[in-house]
Amino acid sequence: MWKAIGKPENRLDNVKERLKILLLDGFFQLKTFREPYAGIMHGLIFFGFFVLIFGAFFDATEYHITEPLGIAFLRGKVYLIFSLLMELFGLAVLGGIVLALFRRYIQKPDRLGYKGVPDNRPDDAVVLILIGAIIITGFIIEALRIHVTRPPWEVWSIGGWYLSALFSGMNGDAARFWHKFTWWMHALLSLAFIAYIPYSRLIHIITTPANQFFSTLKPKGYLEPIRDFETAESFGVGKLADFTWKQIFDFDACTRCGRCQDGCPAYLSGKKLSPKKFIQDLKKYWEERTVRQGTEGEEKLLPGEVIDLHEIWACTNCMYCMEHCPALIEHVPKVIGLRQYKVLTEADFAPELQLTCRNMENNSNPWGVGAHLRGDWAKDLGIKTLAEDPGVEYLFFVGCSGSFDDRGKKVSVALARILQAAGVSFGILGAEEGCCGDSALRMGNEYLFQTLAQTNIETMKGYGVKKIITACPHGYNTLKKDYPHFGGDFEVYHHTEIIAKLIAEGKIKLTKPLPQVYAYHDSCFLGRYNGIYEAPRTVLKSIPGLKLVEMERCREKGFCCGAGGGRMWMEEDEGERINNMRTDQVIATGADGVAVACPFCLTMITDGLKERKKEETIAALDVAELIWQAMA
Ligand code: SF4
Ligand code: SF4
């Protein structure tokens, strides 16, 4: 069904790696356990039920098949331990169900709803009651059996043993009748459970592990490039058939757990977008289109008619949703696919983004500053361009912020000074450097991105560039992961990685103490996209006197500054400003300053500090600036 509608995509490569993911995320549920309450709750139900089914199967196999052949395992101590385990796991399932009911119907966390309104559905309760009823009838059957037979070793069946006390006044015939009755109830409930799977949230027992198995093996944040600009009539995702089959399959794997929504900066700042709702709305339409209406009739346009345009444009591409989704659903490429349709097929997108694109087209930077001025920040620093010395070891790819933005230029200067002091052989492209294209790519203008990327690749290859340093995680990510599509294979390093290495090698001497408390803000494109959490922290901790404190939302759970996914260039007129929220989180640490490792984050948090009138008391500095201060 998914393959009949969606585009082809190979998700059967590297089966060994896929099985490993299935084992870790499917069976051991590593992502689910990141949240203690929900993880324990789900774990009790999942592992309990798994062991009970396995035990029942084992028991039935022995009774019906092996025992008649004279082979029996469940005897003596093995039987007692088996009985005890089955009891404990049965009780575990009941415990999990109590936790689930308490959470869903009494605690009511926002993530199980949308904007404070719970989205409980009848099957949420039916499933829990059904599982609970299967377990309880199982205990009753056992208790009635123990009541009648009363063998002393059955004390190992602790649940049934103590429950049997309830039937102490019941005579043998009545107990036998109720035993039979309950056995049939138990059997019918178990069959009902199986029959209910396709019609309820229980389907996730099948679809979620399957989705985990088929999950992407590509680097985090990978975007498949558009390869048919010459021939295609439409670009991006306008209709269901524009998704790949796996992107459609994602809809059926969503369990509505809400983990994605819990840290989504767009949702938390009051915007309409919720990654959970986004997937569920697509799922609803997919079901409508296939199951209820059939594929005949006029199809709705996904961007605009199925998904509100505000939602599509509110996403900062922060990757929180994908990082925390236990079903390994891939939200961000879908958002970008819908944006591509609006930008490339309909040319219908925000005027401020149109201006940004024009600036990139004309001057290869989002501000539209003359491209010839790109290298001016380095004028008096004695830095060679690659045209002057193509033999340097590293290209410092400065990026647009580092080249044109006054605040960003200071970071470029600090980094250049550090590299010079450490004796690193590096050069810049100067006016030959172009915009890396990350913002164009993520706002859906893939055509512009490819043009910018190909120009840069040609220039860099022309100079034989092999290693690149960049201070911008957006440039870092796109140079590392998107440029290889177009023949740009370079070793790319973020400046925090290089600085950490130079400190470790003793090439940087930090002699000046900075006795201050600093919080570190994780850039999404450095942290969640590239797993670089330690390098900036190691660097900061090596500054004498500096005390590093963590924000409540940090590392994998870091809160976006609001600038990713092209949002840097867009108005934010819905809900609260994300950068102000992040700034409030900085202020809450009580730190003297906040260290960042991304020029976009620097701009957003600096603006937030101004907005909160804290710019005089709380400093916002790039890691490189702090290091340079400690060296100078
Ligand atoms: S990428 Fe970030 S902003 Fe976009 S939907 Fe996911 S969590 Fe929300
Ligand atoms: S998309 Fe993933 S994290 Fe979000 S509700 Fe669905 S299963 Fe949960």
Side-chain angles (χ1 to χ4, degrees), residues 40-53 82-100 128 131-140 142-143 154-164 186:
I40 291 169
M41 175 199 88
H42 193 266
L44 288 172
I45 298 174
F46 171 78
F47 289 112
F49 216 63
F50 181 84
V51 170
L52 290 181
I53 288 174
F82 176 82
S83 300
L84 181 64
L85 282 178
M86 296 291 274
E87 298 296 300
L88 293 178
F89 281 98
L91 291 170
V93 176
L94 286 181
I97 285 171
V98 170
L99 289 178
L128 290 174
I131 296 173
I134 291 170
I135 303 297
I136 289 169
T137 50
F139 275 121
I140 294 174
E142 185 179 51
E154 285 291 11
V155 71
W156 285 73
S157 303
I158 46 173
W161 179 266
Y162 287 107
L163 197 61
S164 69
H186 184 73

Side-chain angles (χ1 to χ4, degrees), residues 349-490:
F349 56 115
E352 66 268 25
L353 280 188
Q354 294 184 25
L355 176 65
T356 307
C357 289
R358 271 201 304 279
N359 288 337
M360 289 181 185
E361 279 161 19
N362 297 334
N363 281 298
S364 202
N365 69 78
W367 292 281
V369 182
H372 62 288
L373 302 173
R374 188 174 271 269
D376 280 10
W377 67 273
K379 253 184 194 164
D380 306 319
L381 298 177
I383 302 170
K384 287 190 175 158
T385 62
L386 264 60
E388 291 162 341
D389 182 3
V392 293
E393 185 180 0
Y394 292 98
L395 163 68
F396 173 18
F397 190 95
V398 185
C400 296
S401 289
S403 301
F404 296 109
D405 175 59
D406 285 342
R407 190 65 193 82
K409 282 193 251 182
K410 289 183 183 164
V411 178
S412 302
V413 172
L415 177 57
R417 293 279 193 220
I418 294 168
L419 297 176
Q420 286 172 327
V424 175
S425 158
F426 76 99
I428 58 173
L429 286 170
E432 286 190 275
E433 184 186 288
C435 173
C436 71
D438 162 78
S439 290
L441 174 68
R442 294 191 169 269
M443 70 173 78
N445 196 341
E446 167 104 14
Y447 183 80
L448 175 57
F449 164 71
Q450 290 195 14
T451 310
L452 295 167
Q454 278 159 357
T455 308
N456 275 328
I457 290 167
E458 212 173 291
T459 309
M460 293 192 282
K461 281 177 122 178
Y463 286 118
V465 170
K466 295 206 166 39
K467 297 181 186 175
I468 298 174
I469 302 173
T470 172
C472 175
H474 298 265
Y476 173 85
N477 188 67
T478 208
L479 289 165
K480 191 168 177 168
K481 296 177 185 166
D482 300 309
Y483 277 33
H485 293 309
F486 312 104
D489 290 298
F490 309 105

Side-chain angles (χ1 to χ4, degrees), residues 172 209 258 309 343 546 580 599 611 627:
L309 293 180
V343 173
L546 186 141
N580 289 343
E611 180 74 26
I627 288 296

